Amino acid sequence: MCGTCGCADEESKTIVLEQQVLAKNDGLADANRNWLQTRGIAMINLMSSPGSGKTSLLARTAREFDAAPLAAVEGDQETGLDAARLRDSGCPVVQINTGTGCHLDATMLADGLRALRPPHHSVLFVENVGNLVCPALFDLGEQARVVLASVTEGADKPLKYPHMFRAADLVLLNKIDLLPHVDFDVAGFIDAASMANPGVRVQRLSVTTGEGITEWYDWLGEQAHA
Ligand SMILES: Nc1nc2c(ncn2[C@@H]2O[C@H](COP(=O)(O)OP(=O)(O)OP(=O)(O)O)[C@@H](O)[C@H]2O)c(=O)[nH]1
Ligand SMILES: [Zn+2]
Ligand SMILES: [Zn+2]
């Protein structure tokens, strides 16, 4: 404890409160997971920094993937812009606005599921709030976590945000069509991702050109039938 101002006391209170918040979230996430499992719904939590291409990937997937019905929950601080883009691609969608919040939690997801009622045996995407930090801490009840990075962000991101990459079942490296124009070390990125999460699969992708998209659909098909 800090003898001068008692700040360490405040710090330990904060940590206990954080642990309680996360424990409550984990309980609600388990309830979501059970609800989804009884309906055979594969929920995929898609996380990235702002602008890596999450909505672009989901919109293209909604137009092209036909191995299972799709639905989506969109998380953003404000606006219904992403939901509108997905609706235009024919995907049933619910938008959640978090206001000042910077991640989705299991309670918000439960509300989203009630509003959306995704079909049995569907793939349900959750586009988390663009943020490489706290979405990694909050279990939503998902079957798998996908972290999307892009070549305009720098190859060091797995080193700087290891918790996010450690949580990933699949890492997608998007915007590879831009590689001729940016200074991005692909091998260095893969090494960094492997340091955070040994053995994690890293798949290169361009949502714009479609390079690597078939491998993404293959992975998704495995999730749908897991
Ligand atoms: N060159 C290129 N641009 C892409 C690619 N994928 C997405 N973009 C562009 O990247 C920008 C951001 O894409 P979004 O899909 O809105 O990104 P997001 O991750 O959903 O963004 P937030 O929801 O704000 O976090 C858009 O201008 C897209 O057109 C790609 O593969 N190549
Ligand atoms: Zn988006
Ligand atoms: Zn947050």
Side-chain angles (χ1 to χ4, degrees), residues 8-70:
D9 253 353
E10 280 308 309
E11 198 177 313
S12 60
K13 270 187 226 156
T14 306
I15 290 168
V16 169
L17 198 59
E18 271 176 19
Q19 285 170 343
Q20 287 170 351
V21 168
L22 289 175
K24 183 174 172 224
N25 184 76
D26 285 350
L28 294 167
D30 283 341
N32 288 345
R33 194 172 281 109
N34 289 338
W35 191 92
L36 292 160
Q37 274 172 359
T38 55
R39 290 159 178 79
I41 300 169
M43 186 164 96
I44 312 293
N45 186 1
L46 182 59
M47 297 178 283
S48 83
S49 50
S52 303
K54 298 180 293 300
T55 312
S56 304
L57 175 64
L58 297 187
R60 181 163 187 155
T61 303
R63 291 194 300 273
E64 296 179 345
F65 183 77
D66 57 9
L70 302 180

Side-chain angles (χ1 to χ4, degrees), residues 46-59 74-76 82 85 127-131 148 150-153 173-178 205-211:
L46 182 59
M47 297 178 283
S48 83
S49 50
S52 303
K54 298 180 293 300
T55 312
S56 304
L57 175 64
L58 297 187
E74 281 290 339
D76 284 295
D82 281 0
R85 285 169 67 191
E127 180 180 335
N128 219 310
V129 180
N131 174 359
L148 183 68
S150 64
V151 303
T152 50
E153 292 164 43
L173 177 60
N174 190 30
K175 308 193 188 181
I176 58 168
D177 56 292
L178 297 179
L205 178 70
S206 167
V207 175
T208 299
T209 66
E211 191 176 350

Side-chain angles (χ1 to χ4, degrees), residues 125-199:
F125 291 113
V126 178
E127 180 180 335
N128 219 310
V129 180
N131 174 359
L132 280 180
V133 186
C134 48
L137 297 176
F138 286 82
D139 184 8
L140 305 178
E142 65 269 27
Q143 176 174 309
R145 292 173 164 205
V146 176
V147 175
L148 183 68
S150 64
V151 303
T152 50
E153 292 164 43
D156 56 359
K157 292 302 164 288
L159 300 175
K160 291 182 174 173
Y161 303 96
H163 299 289
M164 176 57 77
F165 285 85
R166 196 170 297 142
D169 296 295
L170 173 68
V171 174
L172 296 175
L173 177 60
N174 190 30
K175 308 193 188 181
I176 58 168
D177 56 292
L178 297 179
L179 277 173
H181 312 290
V182 293
D183 181 14
F184 185 90
D185 175 6
V186 174
F189 175 82
I190 294 171
D191 283 350
S194 304
M195 276 172 71
N197 187 347

Side-chain angles (χ1 to χ4, degrees), residues 65-144:
F65 183 77
D66 57 9
L70 302 180
V73 173
E74 281 290 339
D76 284 295
Q77 286 199 321
E78 294 290 343
T79 83
L81 290 171
D82 281 0
R85 285 169 67 191
L86 282 195
R87 218 170 275 123
D88 286 349
S89 302
C91 185
V93 60
V94 157
Q95 176 87 50
I96 297 175
N97 285 138
T98 58
T100 55
C102 47
H103 59 269
L104 293 175
D105 66 24
T107 307
M108 296 173 195
L109 233 291
D111 291 345
L113 292 174
R114 266 192 294 277
L116 184 61
R117 301 239 146 240
H120 288 216
H121 306 292
S122 58
V123 172
L124 172 63
F125 291 113
V126 178
E127 180 180 335
N128 219 310
V129 180
N131 174 359
L132 280 180
V133 186
C134 48
L137 297 176
F138 286 82
D139 184 8
L140 305 178
E142 65 269 27
Q143 176 174 309

Side-chain angles (χ1 to χ4, degrees), residues 214-225:
T214 309
E215 288 80 0
W216 159 243
Y217 295 148
D218 289 346
W219 182 87
L220 211 49
E222 288 164 20
Q223 293 298 317
H225 302 115

